[in-house]
Amino acid sequence: MRVAPIPTRILISCFLGLQTLVALAIWAKSPLIMTSWASSSALIATLRGAPSARPKSAFMGHIISTLAGMLVLVLLGPSLWWIGLAVSLAVVVMWFTDNIHPPATANAAIIFVTPVPLLWFGGVTLAGATGLAAIAYLLSRLPSETKA
């Protein structure tokens, strides 16, 4: 069975996009938030025609999920038992606003296990979401490559 080669665009865009976000996470001293960014970068690089890979979905998905996590954390407290509620709330809001971006749901959980101020976490999320949206936008402007 012959395997199609991976398009150069996917390799380069996923690597450069994620490395940019890794640099931001290192600067912000928050390696945990990289988990959702890694998944987002892979999704955006490989499925750029999918609704969940749109720049708007990438940006809003991360913002919505972070806000959902913050809301549940503030209202109900820092118990890990509330992670399922925070993630579910994020999914529902993303669904109703047509901003489904599955990797971003991790943000609603990450906020429960990252001992940092909420505004700081929100700022890091905003910066990362902006970077992901910019990557998604740039990739959407490139000509598509066909599988060999």
Side-chain angles (χ1 to χ4, degrees):
M1 179 168 124
R2 184 166 179 236
V3 177
I6 296 175
T8 306
R9 174 191 54 80
I10 291 175
L11 288 173
I12 293 171
S13 60
C14 193
F15 175 78
L16 291 177
L18 186 55
Q19 285 307 108
T20 302
L21 296 171
V22 166
L24 174 63
I26 290 169
W27 171 79
K29 296 179 177 74
S30 179
L32 282 179
I33 201 160
M34 291 187 311
T35 56
S36 63
W37 294 346
S39 300
S40 290
S41 294
L43 182 127
I44 289 167
T46 59
L47 300 174
R48 70 178 177 172
S52 60
R54 294 177 305 187
K56 175 182 166 256
S57 295
F59 180 82
M60 290 303 298
H62 282 276
I63 299 303
I64 289 167
S65 293
T66 295
L67 290 175
M70 287 179 174
L71 180 68
V72 172
L73 182 66
V74 167
L75 292 179
L76 301 175
S79 173
L80 296 180
W81 291 104
W82 299 122
I83 290 175
L85 177 62
V87 170
S88 298
L89 177 61
V91 170
V92 167
V93 175
M94 282 192 285
W95 177 267
F96 281 111
T97 60
D98 192 29
N99 289 301
I100 293 291
H101 186 72
T105 60
N107 292 3
I110 292 169
I111 198 160
F112 280 86
V113 296
T114 305
V116 296
L118 294 181
L119 287 177
W120 181 89
F121 190 89
V124 171
T125 298
L126 180 62
T130 302
L132 285 166
I135 293 163
Y137 177 79
L138 292 173
L139 288 176
S140 73
R141 300 295 176 236
L142 294 176
S144 61
E145 294 183 26
T146 57
K147 290 184 179 180

